[in-house]
Amino acid sequence: HTRDEAMRVGRQFEQMFLSQMLTPVFDTIRTDGPFGGDHGEQMMRSFQVDAYAQSIVAKGGIGLAPRIAAEILRMQEKSNG
């Protein structure tokens, strides 16, 4: 991998991680009531959570991507000798 590819993989992992961490937060929000979206809102919630995670990563994330990229490159160098 090049440094750019490693960063791309790092950002993808960070986005997936953030989606997994945000999901329980949004699962606690009720979707019923007079202004709730009911089942339709529940079905679309995963897309909303993924969009939030993508936005967080696009704005710099939480610092996982650079560390993951560095680890990918370190492991690659180690395996190449």
Side-chain angles (χ1 to χ4, degrees):
H1 290 292
T2 65
R3 189 168 300 281
D4 290 340
E5 290 172 327
M7 268 306 284
R8 182 181 52 77
V9 170
R11 283 191 295 272
Q12 287 174 340
F13 180 86
E14 185 171 7
Q15 182 177 335
M16 181 197 65
F17 175 80
L18 286 169
S19 288
Q20 293 298 311
M21 294 298 106
L22 290 172
T23 295
V25 174
F26 284 88
D27 283 347
T28 62
I29 300 171
R30 294 178 44 194
T31 59
D32 58 350
F35 300 107
D38 202 29
H39 297 294
E41 185 175 335
Q42 285 179 324
M43 290 174 39
M44 299 303 288
R45 186 163 285 168
S46 66
F47 295 109
Q48 180 185 21
V49 169
D50 287 342
Y52 283 137
Q54 185 177 18
S55 178
I56 292 168
V57 170
K59 292 184 181 347
I62 59 172
L64 286 179
R67 294 171 195 253
I68 292 167
E71 187 63 19
I72 289 170
L73 294 172
R74 187 188 68 75
M75 290 174 61
Q76 181 176 313
E77 287 175 8
K78 189 175 182 179
S79 70
N80 290 337

